[in-house]
Amino acid sequence: MSVVLPDLTVGDDAVGEWLAGTGRSATALEDLAERRPGCGLAQALVVLADADALDDQTLRAKLVAAHADTQRGGVREQSLVYVIYLYTHRHYQRAADHLVLHFAQFPGDEIAGSMLGAFDLAGPLHYREHGQVLTRQQYTLAGPDSWIWASWAAGALAEQGHVHEAWDLAQHALSLNPRSGPAAHARAHAEHEQGTGPACTTFIDTWLTGDPHAVQRRHLQWHAALQSIAAGNFDDARRRADTELHYGDVGMRSSTNWRLLLAGQTPARPTELEHAHRLLAQPGGWAEVFHTFQLALALAVGADTDALVALATRAENDPRPDYSDVLAPVAHALAHITTGAPHRAVDLLTTLGEQTERIGGVRVEREIIQDTLARALIDAGQPARAAHLLHHRRTTRHHHTYENILLTSPGEASRSHHPQSR
């Protein structure tokens, strides 16, 4: 007689560890797969957690086998393994479309919620916006006691600009589960918008002390580095970048260093240009517009004007509008900054306006384009426009030393490390 096992939910300790992103999450999933042999969903979750390390052939074979095992499960299990397949194969629009159908049948499904990133990665802005609305709806359906949906809803609120509500909900999630990585991450996003500076870095350091190997460690340290920059503690930002951000964290390292350079500061150890060139030469370097943008930042940090122009030219000829219409002018603007032509960068970035949202990523990641425009405006002799651009940040953020420096004219600050002078 076969034993009918309960559905996998956040109530399973292993699933809870994985959703929280604790230092034990990978081990917990492997233990789960051993505990539930023949459970296709358990096998698929192991693959989902390790997808970036698998080649396409292995990824497909493992998930096809997992889906075959779901025939012994139910409709929910089959649906989840299918969306895991779509998500891990980067079919983000199809994954997002399927998630809408899945949530209609299984409201508040926590495992499905782990793939809400498909809406952000799908491309069109309306997908991203629908994902945020859907996340908040699912939290309402799941109820206030769901720490994981409270965590994800807090992140959605932060992206929608509801900063104080996001902070409060992230704290609520942490009160339910102090080890919720998504809640800690949502709070870091809210605190970036508030400009809490040392208060944010203290929270992150304290939270990580409780789980030094948390999945979100490096990303949270990046947030801490940005808050150190916000408060003018550039030594701490460099320290975190050099000690916490892995060589492969090209985007986080480059965005930290570009901010430092825009503020006229010495950068942390940069990503080697050869590494950025290799990534751009691979198919993955052009698979997602935001990733390609991050590689453009790496080239800008290295003042590799020729490579930036080549990237911009390739983007201009890309059939995808987000590449040709948004990434191309941003890359050209970065190239102009590196050659000391701020007027040209101003023209390009001003014309783009709010279209920069199409470059992907989240608010804190896209903000660096605004930083670049502010510095270009100052260097082009247009301080009033620069001050207007950063007015909201300077009046709503507690710590905004960084913004003040961005508005400092070349004659009032050291220019020895500014990108134009390199």
Side-chain angles (χ1 to χ4, degrees), residues 3-24:
V3 178
V4 178
L5 296 173
D7 284 344
L8 283 179
T9 68
V10 70
D12 186 287
D13 288 344
V15 176
E17 294 262 8
W18 170 64
L19 291 173
T22 72
R24 285 199 66 257

Side-chain angles (χ1 to χ4, degrees), residues 121-168:
L121 296 167
L125 287 178
H126 67 269
Y127 270 89
R128 188 186 311 164
E129 293 164 355
H130 184 65
Q132 293 161 6
V133 172
L134 181 67
T135 301
R136 295 177 62 180
Q137 290 174 341
Q138 293 302 306
Y139 169 57
T140 300
L141 292 171
D145 292 334
S146 174
W147 62 266
I148 188 56
W149 276 111
S151 302
W152 291 329
L157 283 166
E159 278 303 287
Q160 292 176 321
H162 306 301
V163 178
H164 299 293
E165 296 95 327
W167 195 94
D168 289 342

Side-chain angles (χ1 to χ4, degrees), residues 243-321:
T243 60
E244 295 287 348
L245 299 185
H246 186 266
Y247 171 79
D249 296 328
V250 176
M252 291 189 289
R253 292 187 64 83
S254 299
S255 66
T256 302
N257 279 331
W258 188 242
R259 285 175 170 88
L260 287 167
L261 287 166
L262 290 175
Q265 300 296 316
T266 304
R269 185 175 62 252
T271 300
E272 288 81 354
L273 285 173
E274 292 78 8
H275 182 50
H277 292 166
R278 283 195 299 272
L279 292 175
L280 279 168
Q282 297 170 1
W286 289 83
E288 298 163 16
V289 66
F290 182 68
H291 179 55
T292 314
F293 166 65
Q294 290 180 308
L295 294 176
L297 286 178
L299 299 178
V301 170
D304 193 340
T305 307
D306 291 343
L308 277 170
V309 171
L311 185 154
T313 301
R314 178 174 173 180
E316 285 175 334
N317 296 315
D318 196 293
R320 294 166 291 183

